[in-house]
Amino acid sequence: MADSQRPLLEQLRDLLRSRHYSLRTEESYLDWVRRYILFHGKRHPREMGSDEILAFLNHLATELNVAASTQNQARYALLFLYRELLGVDPGDLKGVQAAKQPRRLPTVLTRAEARAVIAQLSGVYLLMAQLLYGSGLRLMECLRLRVKDLDFQMLQVVVRDGKGMRDRLTMLPASLVDPLRTHLVGVKQVFQQDLAEGFGEVYLPFALARKNPGAARSWAWQYLFPADQRSRDPRSGLIRRHHVHEGALQRAVHDAVRASGISKHASCHTFRHSFATHLIESGYDIRTVQELLGHSDVKTTMIYTHVLNRGGRGVRSPLDE
């Protein structure tokens, strides 16, 4: 329950951290609650309810024309505020004018295009792009990989706390085993140097740091793709070596796409789309692809059947007959 003696946003931040929400979600929820309060003339949320929530969400859809995912994120943030912090249930908010859900097909690279983009990369960015395409990882799933998440014998990658806080297994391309082993030699040297200088501690998820204090300095828990420099943890204030920043990989892939001469609007996530499409194109079962991607609903995976060269239905143009 909320404490009237402390700032509301401070209480909300503490609650989100106690529930182990990611830093990104924390920042997003705080921003939406802040915008909600400002929208209603800085009134305290306790003085408002479902009518004010509906007015704000409808404003996002009708005046700002935000995407459906953006409106949903704002809705979840406000429901968390009221239900979890203030202890008030604002109802099901049936009067929300849903933002339009765009029906867009994902951008997919051909096999040749994917290889052309990857060929423009080198070093750690090359390895990360190969995992995005070869294992179907999301951007942050790749960056958050730990040393222990690679299984070279079983040729699999353990994706922990993926979207929806679900773990899953996906494939590890056999062609990456030797490059990754070589990469780990360099990572271990950096880790040992950090230890020698009195550092070497890495961020641990949830309560693991309390349950197993030694794990933070263990080799197994180190990031597979550590940052070049140590930095201060925004939550604990401790100096640690975090993983490579997502912006660095995004810029590298963006530059690689331009250098390859490909005109498609491709990004890091395009590799994941291409991974799924090429597996289906090769005849793999849709359920298998669903599990590798970590989709909770097969309908999400089915979108890739519509971007195959034959339209996903094997229909042949009359011009080609």
Side-chain angles (χ1 to χ4, degrees):
M1 296 295 290
D3 179 359
S4 59
Q5 302 302 313
R6 298 175 58 218
L8 182 72
L9 293 180
E10 184 179 306
Q11 296 177 60
L12 182 60
R13 178 184 287 109
D14 290 346
L15 181 59
L16 287 164
R17 291 184 180 181
S18 70
R19 301 286 179 86
H20 312 301
Y21 280 75
S22 70
L23 188 60
R24 280 185 162 196
T25 302
E26 174 187 312
E27 293 172 347
S28 175
Y29 277 27
L30 289 171
D31 182 58
W32 281 119
V33 170
R34 187 181 296 111
R35 292 173 64 175
Y36 168 67
I37 293 172
L38 291 175
F39 178 77
H40 287 294
K42 298 184 179 181
R43 292 169 60 194
H44 195 285
R46 280 196 177 281
E47 302 173 2
M48 301 184 282
S50 59
D51 289 343
E52 287 77 11
I53 295 176
L54 288 172
F56 178 67
L57 295 178
N58 289 338
H59 165 74
L60 295 179
T62 61
E63 301 298 326
L64 301 186
N65 297 313
V66 302
S69 58
T70 302
Q71 187 191 44
N72 283 335
Q73 188 181 61
R75 179 173 176 269
Y76 296 145
L78 296 179
L79 287 177
F80 185 90
L81 168 70
Y82 277 92
R83 291 175 177 171
E84 307 301 327
L85 182 64
L86 300 179
V88 176
D89 188 351
D92 54 14
L93 305 178
K94 289 184 178 180
V96 173
Q97 297 181 37
K100 293 182 179 179
Q101 183 70 50
R103 294 180 59 83
R104 299 193 183 100
L105 292 177
T107 299
V108 172
L109 301 173
T110 65
R111 287 174 169 82
E113 289 172 337
R115 294 191 182 96
V117 174
I118 290 173
Q120 299 296 325
L121 297 163
S122 61
V124 68
Y125 298 126
L126 170 61
L127 270 179
M128 287 190 282
Q130 288 173 319
L131 278 172
L132 293 177
Y133 176 53
S135 301
L137 301 178
R138 298 180 177 91
L139 171 64
M140 295 308 298
E141 290 174 346
C142 179
L143 295 177
R144 290 170 177 163
L145 286 175
R146 312 284 181 140
V147 171
K148 66 185 182 63
D149 294 333
L150 299 183
D151 189 331
F152 292 119
Q153 281 67 45
M154 298 295 291
L155 290 180
Q156 63 187 21
V157 179
V158 181
V159 181
R160 304 183 188 279
D161 297 322
K163 192 172 183 179
M165 299 182 73
R166 293 185 297 268
D167 293 354
R168 75 176 191 279
L169 293 175
T170 188
M171 64 183 71
L172 174 63
S175 59
L176 291 186
V177 171
D178 288 341
L180 283 170
R181 286 188 188 276
T182 301
H183 169 72
L184 284 172
V185 172
V187 174
K188 193 163 192 176
Q189 290 175 347
V190 172
F191 170 56
Q192 291 173 335
Q193 182 64 34
D194 282 346
L195 288 176
E197 295 177 4
F199 297 97
E201 182 176 310
V202 71
Y203 167 77
L204 294 180
F206 306 150
L208 184 61
R210 185 179 67 253
K211 296 176 181 178
N212 187 0
R217 290 176 179 268
S218 69
W219 165 238
W221 275 99
Q222 298 303 304
Y223 284 112
L224 179 60
F225 300 113
D228 291 335
Q229 304 292 329
R230 294 187 290 260
S231 59
R232 186 176 300 279
D233 188 300
R235 291 182 171 179
S236 66
L238 298 174
I239 301 298
R240 293 169 169 158
R241 189 178 297 276
H242 204 51
H243 57 66
V244 171
H245 193 276
E246 62 267 31
L249 178 56
Q250 289 170 326
R251 286 191 297 272
V253 170
H254 176 267
D255 292 344
V257 172
R258 293 185 61 184
S260 70
I262 294 171
S263 59
K264 293 178 180 178
H265 184 66
S267 64
C268 291
H269 206 67
T270 305
F271 285 125
R272 177 174 161 88
H273 292 321
S274 304
F275 164 85
T277 304
H278 296 164
L279 286 182
I280 296 173
E281 191 175 39
S282 297
Y284 288 98
D285 179 76
I286 191 73
R287 293 287 183 179
T288 299
V289 178
Q290 176 192 359
E291 291 180 8
L292 293 173
L293 292 173
H295 289 160
S296 58
D297 191 336
V298 73
K299 291 180 181 178
T300 307
T301 316
M302 288 295 291
I303 187 68
Y304 298 110
T305 65
H306 300 296
V307 294
L308 295 176
N309 292 335
R310 292 176 298 164
R313 298 182 179 85
V315 178
R316 191 173 182 180
S317 168
L319 186 64
D320 297 329
E321 293 178 350

